[in-house]
Amino acid sequence: GAGVSQSPRYKVAKRGQDVALRCDPISGHVSLFWYQQALGQGPEFLTYFQNEAQLDKSGLPSDRFFAERPEGSVSTLKIQRTQQEDSAVYLCASSSDRHGAFFGQGTRLTVV
Amino acid sequence: QKEVEQNSGPLSVPEGAIASLNCTYSDRGSQSFFWYRQYSGKSPELIMSIYSNGDKEDGRFTAQLNKASQYVSLLIRDSQPSDSATYLCAVTRNNQGGKLIFGQGTELSVKP
């Protein structure tokens, strides 16, 4: 596709449930980033891939968060045993160089 | 102190005026600087990038960078109501693969 695609757009999870969020980056983009955005705040970095290698996961808030990009294209962000504080918009972005990244529409996660 | 600081606003300007948005950053190793626009409920959209000191103009937008003062600004000339959005400043550092660090964003409201 022409842009970064994320699914689902909206997800409601019961507390304690596991969720998986998908990101399909722009074709050919080497770098892929995951961000978490709370209401009224800027996006907060979670993790970064260059091809299939996860080069930086310093922003993952706990060991309940896990991301993968096994073939260097599609990426999945998994959150285990969701908690209410995990409610946020999860943004995926991809980039082909250091001249800025392009974002998907985001997944709004609500944990009830 | 956050690494990238913006005044959260809201900044209100009349239609046709110049809107001035400001951003400071704390890490002198910051390499590249970006402005993203985010409409309510939408994902961030890249509108400007700047890499060296001085001004960069693109249509009604001008980005200004002063590395000595660790200051980036965005000027929007002839502001339109459609410019009403949150503007996010983002920086990247050397050797971090294009990882964007965002400010909290400034909300701009252009009144007809």
Side-chain angles (χ1 to χ4, degrees):
Chain A
V4 179
S5 179
Q6 292 187 245
S7 61
R9 291 293 310 279
Y10 304 92
K11 176 69 178 177
V12 178
K14 291 185 178 179
R15 193 171 56 175
Q17 191 177 358
D18 297 351
V19 298
L21 312 180
R22 176 189 168 103
C23 173
D24 200 340
I26 293 171
S27 179
H29 277 195
V30 168
S31 300
L32 185 147
F33 307 86
W34 283 98
Y35 287 83
Q36 180 190 63
Q37 187 173 27
L39 195 63
Q41 300 296 314
E44 294 284 344
F45 172 79
L46 294 177
T47 187
Y48 153 59
F49 291 86
Q50 188 171 79
N51 295 307
E52 69 277 6
Q54 188 175 21
L55 298 186
D56 186 343
K57 54 181 181 179
S58 62
L60 296 176
S62 77
D63 58 8
R64 296 186 295 104
F65 286 71
F66 171 76
E68 60 183 5
R69 193 186 185 197
E71 296 177 359
S73 179
V74 171
S75 176
T76 304
L77 176 67
K78 298 180 180 177
I79 309 173
Q80 297 177 322
R81 305 182 303 282
T82 52
Q83 303 295 315
Q84 280 196 311
E85 62 263 27
D86 300 334
S87 297
V89 174
Y90 291 85
L91 295 165
C92 175
S94 71
S95 172
S96 60
D97 54 32
R98 308 222 171 162
H99 300 300
F102 298 90
F103 284 83
Q105 322 94 302
T107 294
R108 182 177 297 277
L109 173 65
T110 304
V111 181
V112 298
Chain B
Q1 179 192 9
K2 291 200 71 170
E3 185 164 347
V4 180
E5 299 258 17
Q6 294 181 257
N7 188 325
S8 61
L11 173 66
S12 184
V13 301
E15 184 175 357
I18 296 174
S20 178
L21 303 155
N22 304 314
C23 171
T24 58
Y25 60 95
S26 60
D27 189 340
R28 287 197 174 273
S30 297
Q31 176 184 36
S32 304
F33 307 86
F34 304 91
W35 284 98
Y36 283 79
R37 177 176 62 199
Q38 187 171 29
Y39 292 114
S40 181
K42 303 294 186 183
S43 60
E45 173 193 8
L46 179 62
I47 56 171
M48 288 289 284
S49 59
I50 187 165
Y51 308 101
S52 55
N53 281 327
D55 295 1
K56 179 181 177 182
E57 187 175 317
D58 184 0
R60 294 186 297 113
F61 298 99
T62 299
Q64 299 175 317
L65 174 61
N66 183 327
K67 288 188 176 181
S69 301
Q70 295 175 243
Y71 177 90
V72 195
S73 66
L74 179 70
L75 301 177
I76 307 175
R77 288 181 299 282
D78 189 23
S79 297
Q80 301 297 309
S82 58
D83 295 326
S84 298
T86 295
Y87 289 80
L88 296 160
C89 174
V91 308
T92 64
R93 294 193 218 126
N94 289 331
N95 304 319
Q96 290 204 345
K99 166 183 163 182
L100 291 161
I101 302 165
F102 284 89
Q104 68 179 86
T106 297
E107 183 185 351
L108 173 66
S109 177
V110 181
K111 304 293 188 186

